[in-house]
């Protein structure tokens, strides 16, 4: 699919979503998504560039349907350099060296899995196994990290997390950094069943090298997620990435 505008990408996403999937969330049905897409398109019409490309904005929700989601990894917003982001949190498809945070993530994964450090940063294989790689803002302006953090995408994040927390199937929430950890209370409040938590929340500092606590490395979130999924009778995630 090629979309020149976010409005066109939104129309294609909602059209192709099966009943009961992400497009049934109130965010998409009550006009908020359409209004947000129109706002971003006005910026594009005024000469701004956004990342990722419009046709990739909803990739996280497209590649990981609601019913197939087993793990959630929250990011902040897309890489601001055009061509680097493709709609999945932390995933990188650019031509330069891996971003620093992603390099830390993949080093921890490799240690957990006993495999070689990947040389590429495309995390699509995770998404296709049920790992929802969701940014709290699905877009940003090219060259400006955080430009779209306050324009309304956070309402979608709240609804996605709420929908997953309320369902019976257990889900792993991997929350890295203060912004992501702030969502833990929502998971706990909406995911309790008879006083017992249905889900696993794994929280630690952000994988950024600027994290002074440096508590991401050694957290073993990838191994702990798989051990919990296995105990729940769910298939583990193959975190290894193809070369």
């Amino acid at each position: 699919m090629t979309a020149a505008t976010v409005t066109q990408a939104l129309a294609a996403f909602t059209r192709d979503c099966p009943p009961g999937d992400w497009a049934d969330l109130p965010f998409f049905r009550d006009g908020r998504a359409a209004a947000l897409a129109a706002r971003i398109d006005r910026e594009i019409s005024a000469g701004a560039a956004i990342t990722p490309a419009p046709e990739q904005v909803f990739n996280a929700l497209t590649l990981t349907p609601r019913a197939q989601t087993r793990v959630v990894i929250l990011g902040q917003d897309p890489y601001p350099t055009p061509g680097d982001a493709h709609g999945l949190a932390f995933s990188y498809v650019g031509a330069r060296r891996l971003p620093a945070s992603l390099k830390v993530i993949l080093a921890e994964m490799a240690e957990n899995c006993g495999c070689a450090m990947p040389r590429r940063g495309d995390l699509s294989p995770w998404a296709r196994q049920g790992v929802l790689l969701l940014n709290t803002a699905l877009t940003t302006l090219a060259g400006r990290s955080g430009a779209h953090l306050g324009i309304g995408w956070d309402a979608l994040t709240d609804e996605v997390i709420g929908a997953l927390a309320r369902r019976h199937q257990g889900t792993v929430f991997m929350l890295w950094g203060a912004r992501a950890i702030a969502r833990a209370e929502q998971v706990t409040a909406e995911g309790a069943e008879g006083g017992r938590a249905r889900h696993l929340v794994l929280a630690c500092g952000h994988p950024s090298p600027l994290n002074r606590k440096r508590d991401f490395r050694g957290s073993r979130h990838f191994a702990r997620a798989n051990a919990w999924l296995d105990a729940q009778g769910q298939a583990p995630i193959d975190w290894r990435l193809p070369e």
Side-chain angles (χ1 to χ4, degrees):
M1 176 192 72
T2 300
T5 67
V6 180
T7 296
Q8 291 173 344
L10 173 63
F13 168 72
T14 55
R15 180 193 66 226
D16 295 340
C17 255
D21 208 339
W22 299 120
D24 280 350
L25 292 174
F27 180 83
F28 292 108
R29 300 177 66 88
D30 63 13
R32 283 177 292 167
L36 187 52
R39 170 183 172 155
I40 297 170
D41 287 339
R42 287 194 295 271
E43 293 183 327
I44 295 172
S45 296
I50 69 161
T51 72
E55 65 269 18
Q56 298 174 328
V57 168
F58 301 101
N59 264 358
L61 301 178
T62 299
L63 288 180
T64 311
R66 185 170 174 174
Q68 297 176 20
T69 300
R70 297 184 287 139
V71 178
V72 177
I73 296 177
L74 286 182
Q76 179 170 291
D77 64 338
Y79 298 118
T81 301
D84 287 358
H86 63 132
L88 306 179
F90 295 106
S91 189
Y92 177 76
V93 292
R96 301 177 309 284
R97 63 182 182 181
L98 295 177
S101 293
L102 178 58
K103 193 172 181 179
V104 173
I105 291 169
L106 294 180
E108 175 69 10
M109 178 279 292
E111 192 280 329
N112 283 203
C113 298
C115 65
M117 170 79 176
R119 290 179 292 180
R120 298 179 182 177
D122 184 353
L123 305 183
S124 298
W126 295 1
R128 293 190 175 95
Q129 294 179 74
V131 181
L132 180 63
L133 297 160
L134 184 67
N135 278 315
T136 55
L138 301 193
T139 57
T140 193
L141 294 176
R144 287 183 54 191
S145 293
H148 286 169
L149 284 176
I151 68 172
W153 285 121
D154 54 313
L156 173 59
T157 305
D158 287 338
E159 291 188 10
V160 167
I161 291 177
L164 294 172
R166 288 189 296 270
R167 68 180 184 171
H168 181 72
Q169 178 183 323
T171 304
V172 181
F173 291 84
M174 299 167 75
L175 308 179
W176 303 335
R179 285 181 177 270
I181 292 172
R183 309 280 180 171
E185 185 176 346
Q186 181 185 3
V187 175
T188 302
E190 300 192 50
E193 182 178 49
R196 181 179 64 86
R198 284 195 299 269
H199 311 294
L200 175 64
V201 175
L202 299 174
C204 69
H206 196 276
S208 167
L210 300 178
N211 171 13
R212 293 184 179 181
K213 292 183 178 180
R214 300 189 181 277
D215 56 347
F216 181 86
R217 291 298 301 270
S219 64
R220 297 196 58 80
H221 279 191
F222 300 97
R224 291 166 64 188
N226 273 356
W228 189 85
L229 289 170
D230 183 63
Q232 300 294 311
Q234 300 186 51
I237 305 296
D238 184 356
W239 298 106
R240 298 169 299 173
L241 295 176
E243 290 298 326

